[in-house]
Amino acid sequence: MAADSDPETEVFEITDFTTASEWERFVSRVEEVLNDWKLIGSSAGRSSPEKGEYTSGTWEEKSQEINFADFKFSITHHYLKQDSDTSDLKEELEEDAFPLAMQDLLCMNNDFPPRAHCLVRWYGMREFLVISPGTNCEAITSESKCNLLLSSVSISLANSGCQVPMFVQIQQKWRRLYAGECQGPGVRTDFEMVHLRKVPSQYNHLSGLLDIFKSKIGCPLTPLPPITIAIRFTYVLQDWQQYSWPQQPPDFDALLGGEVGGVEFGKLPFGACEDPISELHLATTWPHLTEGIVVDNDVYSDLDPLQAPHWSVRVRKAENPQCLLGDFLNEFFKLCSRKESTEEILGRGLTEEEGKENTDLSAALSKLTEPAAVPMSKLSVSSMVHSARKHIRRHRRVDESPLSNDVLNSILLYLFPDAAVERSSAATSDNSEGRAAPPNTGGRSEHDKDSDYNLFNQLKSAPSDSLTYRLALCVCLVNFYHGGVRALAHLWQEFVLEMRYRWENNHLVYGLASGAPDLRCCLLHQKLQMLNCCIERKRARDESRKASDGGKERERQLSGGGENGRRGPESATGAGSGAAREASPGKSWDSWSDSEDEFFECLSDQEEAAAAKEGEAEKGGAGSSRAKPPDGRLHPHGNMTLLNSSSEPLYIPVTQEPAPMTEDLLEEQSEVLAKLGTSAEGAHLRARMQSACLLSDMESFKAANPGCSLEDFVRWYSPRDYVEEEVVDEAGAAVLRGELSARMKIPGNMWAEAWDTARSVPARRQKRLFDDTKEAEKVLHYLSVQKPADLTRHLLPCILHAAILKLKEEESVEDIPSVKKAVQQATSHASKQLRHPNPDHKKLEEVISQLVAVETVIARARSLKAKFGVGKAEAGEDSEDLEKFVSSLLEEPEVAVLGAGRGPAGSIIHKLFVSAQRAALLAPLDDDLVRPGGGAEDRKPMGGGLNMPDFPPPAGREILLRTCVPRPAPYSKALPQRLFCVFMRDDFRLAGALSSDTSFF
């Protein structure tokens, strides 16, 4: 049994060496990526990059995830996008041509690119690959792992024939340490780095770096080939002694005293509260030097920045500087998220005292009908409103009032400049004779007015001279300077009370265009226009009533005087009918339009029955010739006559104006009509609802044209529905005969039904199509229930409109092309959002961010212009050069200084550094005493006679060493060698690229 079990217990372990290991899979995966990106084969053949192409060109990159076992890596391909010029090659490429990266090591056209990957700056390459640990993966810190990755890179490049250099990121990411390799036909370049915190003293100058470079290349030739040197020193200016504070100091005597950037009502503030330019970096460059030309050691240095042949400047911009317009917009936009009502915001202590007075306001109409011994004039709604306002202000303590009386009165006078005139004068009719607000267009060109018009039309806001626009500015100002949302709620309460006062006292609302609500404007503007329409109709009706009362009074006086003559019934009747004829058809159109007709409410059933009886009596008494005398005629309609009587002309009647509507009322009406459905009954009901205006016009037409027919009405109202054709009569003459169109003859036609039910009633005696009292109360109720957040949403288009106008105004002074384009883009973006019924909150936030970014750019431009004295210098070539220089600083990452330290911009930069040095090294009092003299100091040397350096120690030094020597043997190919050195306060870096010939080694 034991013998049988022995074979089962023995286990043979077989190792399959053909199975790929994790390391081999990683190498294979890298090769697959190189093949997918088509990086196999020679990379030579492209022309050298042009000067500055690394900065102005487009850099692109693509990445892919790869794994080494369970450790994630990311391989990224960085390359400069260039147009292929293979068609311009004059000869075939040599098989043993250097890889593109080796050629770039010696190229001098892009030595210190201001905006590029760090490897581009250190090695000057236009294409490379980087393998770095994936996100949330630990750094490669151990030497064995680094060597394993470098071996993988070497094998992948050799197997695939890729000539693009490949780097591996090692150590922590903040250190930016890379090691890599580039392989070509018989050549190889090793990329190595040294990174230290402190600079070794023996290598803190050019001579020490040359020793390192020579020892690393280990050239066996006794006369060493010349080493090309490029040096750049960077100086940082942080203290702007010659530049004042960017905002004017606050005026404590003004209404907005103590506020930075305080402005008057109706204007938005603008500008930065801090300097938007934090630092100026001056780079002094010696681009082409050799070892024997310059001396730089631990004892002496020839590298004087004033003697540098090339200067370039870049500015460091402050991160999100505080800007006044941006603060205004952001604080105003935050109110859109508030959910409190006005009563909740103002607090119980304030609203409880107002509760009693508010009951007077809410029950005003009911109190008018209550029996009382006081005169009716004292029970009017307006008197109750003003008694309530006085009582509120009497009981409100000063510390409880969100807005002081001075500020509130100033705002109300700005919003309603007509109020002081109207209320101080007894004859209010002369002051508000029919005009709303004359637009303030003084001093503006036609082009500006057209652009403003198009802008409010685009943004669906309100005209820039309207009450709504001014209200938005005041609300924004009050929210930022005078108490926030509580002050806003207080102002809105006062505004609504002012609207009710104007409605009750027939004062037109100042600052609104006459006519129906403009649907291109925001809803709040439409509501205020609707209120103005109601006031206009009410005023016209009251004036017409006064005129008719005066006529009756005169008639009564005349009739009282005629009683002495004892006139008979016939004469009295004749006089009465003559008076009627004189009062009704004799009125001109101008008198109708001025008084807007006198409209009467609908009659009760008893009154309608009595009127019908009177009509029948009149018909019976007057006979069949004419039922009623014509009334409400406007003018004859051309040469047309009534079809029933060829001698009676057809008159156009005076009709009622259609009821004006705001967009929310139109939407409600369309929803009601849509809910009626598509059935026959629903369609019939829908047609009847829409025919109220038609019925009114038919009644007016019948009153103006007694004895007319439906055909006569259609000939005037809808000529297309009356078809005329030429026929031959019995006598053989050609005559025109007409008839109604086919749609008018359909049984149950709405027009025919309306004509049958229409009575002969002139427009002035019809029921009003537009009930101004009801609509005005609806508008006032709508305004009173608006929460501060609702008000903010209504006024946001106007605020954005004002902000864009402010940016355009400020930009026109600075003339920055990029700002013009940015303003246009922001306007277009805002227009798309604001025209939506429910704009997206986040997208509106993006619009505000765009406007704030534009303000920041303009503030930066002004800061730079102030620093470089643009606008103060005399007109000439220097001023033009300075303007170009400042505008370039805003647009480009780094700008060359024409003439280096001797040019106009260079001399200003030199003075800025000198003044900063004096401020740092001299006592402030001495500096203040010396500074006002100015002229004497300018005649002294810049050092001030105290051996004080004009420039501070350089914040960064960069030294680039290049040569081409054979390695590793004297008979090897001459290959490019490069060493890039960086000296900073707490950073010392050496980035070397050492090439060697591998043909025989």
Side-chain angles (χ1 to χ4, degrees):
M1 296 294 293
D4 295 337
S5 62
D6 286 339
E8 296 178 3
T9 56
E10 294 178 2
V11 177
F12 295 96
E13 188 173 339
I14 302 174
T15 303
D16 186 3
F17 291 97
T18 61
T19 304
S21 63
E22 294 293 346
W23 175 65
E24 291 171 317
R25 290 194 187 97
F26 176 71
V27 173
S28 176
R29 183 66 184 129
V30 173
E31 294 175 13
E32 287 178 10
V33 172
L34 296 178
N35 276 286
D36 293 342
W37 289 345
K38 298 180 181 179
L39 300 179
I40 308 303
S42 174
S43 63
R46 281 183 281 179
S47 59
S48 298
E50 298 179 0
K51 189 172 184 63
E53 189 175 359
Y54 283 6
T55 304
S56 60
T58 303
W59 287 88
E60 295 185 356
E61 62 179 60
K62 49 187 174 183
S63 300
Q64 196 162 338
E65 298 290 335
I66 55 177
N67 290 345
F68 191 129
D70 57 350
F71 195 92
K72 290 184 179 180
F73 286 94
S74 174
I75 181 169
T76 307
H77 181 209
H78 301 265
Y79 59 98
L80 177 67
K81 189 175 181 181
Q82 291 179 297
D83 297 332
S84 58
D85 52 358
T86 54
S87 59
D88 298 335
L89 292 178
K90 297 180 180 179
E91 56 185 14
E92 295 292 331
L93 296 174
E94 298 181 5
E95 293 184 0
D96 56 349
F98 287 165
L100 194 64
M102 290 190 181
Q103 300 175 24
D104 292 341
L105 292 177
L106 296 178
C107 182
M108 298 183 179
N109 291 337
N110 297 276
D111 276 349
F112 303 100
R115 184 186 295 168
H117 193 279
C118 60
L119 291 175
V120 177
R121 188 176 185 88
W122 296 336
Y123 295 116
M125 297 176 298
R126 71 185 94 170
E127 185 178 17
F128 55 93
L129 295 154
V130 176
I131 297 178
S132 56
T135 54
N136 301 324
C137 293
E138 60 182 9
I140 309 299
T141 55
S142 66
E143 187 176 356
S144 60
K145 291 181 179 179
C146 295
N147 291 333
L148 182 62
L149 286 174
L150 288 174
S151 301
S152 305
V153 166
S154 181
I155 294 173
S156 300
L157 294 176
N159 291 343
S160 62
C162 175
Q163 295 186 5
V164 178
M166 187 179 296
F167 292 85
V168 175
Q169 186 171 14
I170 56 179
Q171 301 296 331
Q172 292 79 10
K173 288 189 176 182
W174 63 268
R175 298 189 66 181
R176 296 191 297 172
L177 268 176
Y178 298 88
E181 186 175 316
C182 176
Q183 294 187 8
V187 292
R188 185 183 76 244
T189 301
D190 295 315
F191 300 95
E192 302 172 358
M193 282 191 191
V194 174
H195 182 225
L196 301 175
R197 282 283 191 184
K198 298 295 181 182
V199 184
S201 59
Q202 65 270 31
Y203 304 130
N204 198 17
H205 40 74
L206 177 61
S207 59
L209 295 176
L210 286 171
D211 293 340
I212 295 179
F213 189 48
K214 292 175 183 178
S215 64
K216 288 296 291 183
I217 59 178
C219 181
L221 300 178
T222 49
L224 190 67
I227 296 176
T228 305
I229 305 171
I231 301 176
R232 166 172 286 205
F233 286 0
T234 301
Y235 300 89
V236 177
L237 177 65
Q238 295 176 323
D239 191 6
W240 309 100
Q241 290 295 316
Q242 296 181 355
Y243 181 55
S244 60
W245 196 39
Q247 284 294 332
Q248 292 295 325
D251 182 6
F252 293 97
D253 296 329
L255 184 63
L256 303 177
E259 301 293 347
V260 176
V263 293
E264 61 188 26
F265 291 112
K267 294 182 180 179
L268 288 176
F270 189 87
C273 292
E274 56 185 306
D275 196 342
I277 304 297
S278 59
E279 294 178 357
L280 183 141
H281 293 195
L282 169 65
T284 58
T285 307
W286 293 263
H288 305 292
L289 298 174
T290 55
E291 186 176 353
I293 292 180
V294 63
V295 176
D296 181 43
N297 51 39
D298 54 353
V299 178
Y300 175 78
S301 177
D302 289 333
L303 301 175
D304 182 7
L306 287 174
Q307 304 301 322
H310 186 271
W311 276 20
S312 59
V313 174
R314 62 191 304 174
V315 292
R316 184 175 179 182
K317 301 159 187 174
E319 293 292 333
N320 301 321
Q322 182 186 1
C323 294
L324 290 174
L325 180 61
D327 289 349
F328 263 59
L329 294 178
N330 286 316
E331 289 298 322
F332 185 80
F333 188 65
K334 287 178 184 177
L335 295 177
C336 295
S337 304
R338 302 289 292 260
K339 297 182 179 179
E340 304 94 332
S341 64
T342 303
E343 290 75 14
E344 292 172 346
I345 289 173
L346 292 178
R348 295 293 179 186
L350 191 60
T351 55
E352 283 176 1
E353 292 183 1
E354 296 176 359
K356 297 179 181 179
E357 289 77 9
N358 288 339
T359 58
D360 293 342
L361 304 182
S362 60
L365 293 177
S366 62
K367 285 201 172 190
L368 292 177
T369 60
E370 293 178 359
V374 295
M376 287 298 292
S377 60
K378 294 187 178 180
L379 283 177
S380 65
V381 176
S382 60
S383 64
M384 292 180 183
V385 169
H386 279 275
S387 65
R389 292 173 78 174
K390 291 177 182 177
H391 198 62
I392 289 170
R393 290 172 181 168
R394 197 180 305 121
H395 285 76
R396 180 182 293 164
R397 292 193 298 272
V398 176
D399 57 345
E400 287 181 343
S401 178
L403 277 177
S404 65
N405 288 334
D406 293 339
V407 174
L408 181 60
N409 291 333
S410 300
I411 295 174
L412 293 177
L413 283 177
Y414 168 71
L415 292 176
F416 308 104
D418 60 330
V421 180
E422 286 186 357
R423 295 177 188 178
S424 63
S425 173
T428 58
S429 59
D430 295 338
N431 300 325
S432 55
E433 185 55 35
R435 243 182 232 105
N440 183 16
T441 57
R444 293 172 56 197
S445 65
E446 291 294 329
H447 180 269
D448 292 339
K449 287 186 277 188
D450 291 342
S451 63
D452 285 356
Y453 177 83
N454 294 330
L455 186 58
F456 98 79
N457 195 9
Q458 285 179 351
L459 300 177
K460 198 174 175 60
S461 59
S464 55
D465 54 2
S466 66
L467 171 65
T468 315
Y469 186 90
R470 297 198 304 272
L471 174 64
L473 294 176
C474 289
V475 166
C476 191
L477 205 67
V478 164
N479 174 62
F480 195 82
Y481 280 143
H482 297 288
V485 69
R486 293 188 74 247
L488 186 153
H490 183 192
L491 173 61
W492 181 241
Q493 271 192 346
E494 296 289 339
F495 183 85
V496 175
L497 289 174
E498 179 69 24
M499 291 298 102
R500 179 168 287 281
Y501 172 83
R502 288 178 176 263
W503 159 246
E504 293 293 335
N505 292 273
N506 287 355
H507 295 307
L508 287 174
V509 180
Y510 184 89
L512 298 175
S514 58
D518 191 349
L519 300 181
R520 297 168 300 178
C521 299
C522 63
L523 182 59
L524 182 62
H525 188 78
Q526 295 178 39
K527 292 290 184 183
L528 296 177
Q529 282 185 307
M530 174 67 84
L531 183 63
N532 234 15
C533 290
C534 297
I535 296 173
E536 287 178 354
R537 299 288 177 94
K538 183 183 175 187
R539 288 178 62 179
R541 192 171 66 256
D542 291 347
E543 290 173 5
S544 177
R545 187 178 295 116
K546 287 179 183 178
S548 63
D549 291 345
K552 289 179 181 179
E553 184 67 26
R554 287 193 301 272
E555 207 174 301
R556 191 178 299 114
Q557 292 174 359
L558 290 173
S559 62
E563 283 179 359
N564 297 330
R566 294 177 177 252
R567 301 176 70 182
E570 292 83 1
S571 63
T573 305
S577 62
R581 273 199 262 3
E582 198 173 320
S584 167
K587 273 196 174 184
S588 66
W589 170 242
D590 293 335
S591 63
W592 285 116
S593 61
D594 288 341
S595 64
E596 291 289 335
D597 296 351
E598 182 181 356
F599 295 111
F600 293 87
E601 300 293 346
C602 59
L603 303 175
S604 62
D605 295 339
Q606 294 178 354
E607 290 172 336
E608 286 182 355
K613 288 180 181 180
E614 289 177 3
E616 290 176 3
E618 287 179 5
K619 286 181 182 179
S624 59
S625 60
R626 292 184 72 174
K628 281 186 178 181
D631 195 0
R633 286 179 171 178
L634 181 57
H635 57 76
H637 185 37
N639 297 323
M640 284 190 181
T641 58
L642 297 179
L643 296 176
N644 297 336
S645 174
S646 59
S647 62
E648 187 69 26
L650 187 149
Y651 282 89
I652 295 177
V654 176
T655 58
Q656 293 194 54
E657 292 292 330
M661 300 188 78
T662 57
E663 62 183 21
D664 60 335
L665 295 179
L666 288 172
E667 187 176 352
E668 289 177 11
Q669 187 183 55
S670 62
E671 289 179 359
V672 170
L673 295 177
K675 288 179 181 178
L676 295 176
T678 57
S679 63
E681 183 181 358
H684 184 75
L685 184 58
R686 187 184 302 109
R688 292 199 62 178
M689 291 176 63
Q690 293 175 314
S691 63
C693 187
L694 175 66
L695 182 62
S696 171
D697 293 342
M698 284 182 173
E699 291 182 344
S700 301
F701 188 83
K702 280 187 175 184
N705 299 280
C708 62
S709 62
L710 176 62
E711 286 79 0
D712 293 318
F713 178 76
V714 171
R715 289 164 65 203
W716 163 63
Y717 207 81
S718 179
R720 292 184 179 180
D721 285 310
Y722 188 76
V723 183
E724 290 184 332
E725 56 182 355
E726 189 174 322
V727 296
V728 179
D729 59 359
E730 297 176 355
V735 295
L736 284 175
R737 285 186 181 176
E739 60 179 357
L740 294 176
S741 63
R743 80 182 185 101
M744 288 292 179
K745 295 179 180 179
I746 299 173
N749 182 267
M750 198 65 225
W751 287 54
E753 290 184 5
W755 182 262
D756 293 339
T757 58
R759 298 176 301 165
S760 177
V761 183
R764 60 192 176 86
R765 293 191 175 276
Q766 295 174 8
K767 177 185 176 180
R768 284 181 284 170
L769 291 177
F770 177 63
D771 189 348
D772 51 69
T773 305
K774 177 181 175 183
E775 293 300 326
E777 289 298 331
K778 286 170 64 176
V779 170
L780 292 172
H781 175 73
Y782 179 85
L783 297 179
S784 63
V785 299
Q786 294 297 303
K787 298 179 180 179
D790 300 329
L791 177 64
T792 306
R793 282 189 284 269
H794 283 307
L795 296 178
L796 183 61
C798 297
I799 287 296
L800 294 180
H801 181 184
I804 291 173
L805 288 181
K806 184 68 176 178
L807 290 173
K808 285 185 174 182
E809 176 189 345
E810 300 293 336
E811 185 277 329
S812 63
V813 178
E814 305 301 333
D815 192 18
I816 309 171
S818 63
V819 169
K820 289 183 180 178
K821 186 177 180 181
V823 170
Q824 292 175 356
Q825 292 175 348
T827 305
S828 176
H829 192 187
S831 176
K832 292 177 183 177
Q833 298 305 317
L834 295 175
R835 289 198 162 275
H836 197 273
N838 296 310
D840 189 359
H841 190 86
K842 290 185 178 179
K843 291 184 178 178
L844 286 176
E845 212 168 4
E846 292 175 3
V847 172
I848 293 176
S849 299
Q850 287 178 326
L851 298 179
V852 174
V854 172
E855 181 189 16
T856 305
V857 173
I858 296 176
R860 287 169 179 161
R862 290 185 173 173
S863 174
L864 289 173
K865 286 184 178 181
K867 290 175 173 60
F868 286 93
V870 176
K872 298 179 182 179
E874 297 180 359
E877 294 183 0
D878 290 353
S879 63
E880 292 180 2
D881 292 342
L882 281 176
E883 288 183 6
K884 291 180 182 178
F885 176 74
V886 170
S887 61
S888 300
L889 278 177
L890 291 172
E891 306 290 338
E892 301 174 13
E894 190 170 284
V895 181
V897 180
L898 296 177
R902 297 172 180 81
S907 60
I908 293 175
I909 295 170
H910 184 201
K911 290 179 182 178
L912 288 174
F913 274 100
V914 169
S915 61
Q917 281 291 96
R918 287 179 180 153
L921 300 178
L922 294 180
L925 290 177
D926 293 342
D927 185 48
D928 292 340
L929 291 173
V930 172
R931 182 177 300 279
E937 182 184 340
D938 290 341
R939 289 190 292 271
K940 294 179 182 179
M942 284 297 180
L946 299 174
N947 293 326
M948 182 176 60
D950 292 354
F951 291 88
R957 292 179 293 158
E958 296 169 288
I959 299 178
L960 176 57
L961 308 177
R962 272 180 297 230
T963 187
C964 195
V965 297
R967 284 182 77 237
Y971 49 83
S972 300
K973 293 180 182 178
L975 300 176
Q977 319 293 330
R978 176 181 175 122
L979 180 65
F980 192 92
C981 316
V982 180
F983 302 85
M984 297 181 72
R985 182 177 179 181
D986 294 321
D987 190 88
F988 173 66
R989 185 184 302 272
L990 299 178
L994 305 175
S995 305
S996 57
D997 188 353
T998 59
S999 299
F1000 305 102
F1001 300 94

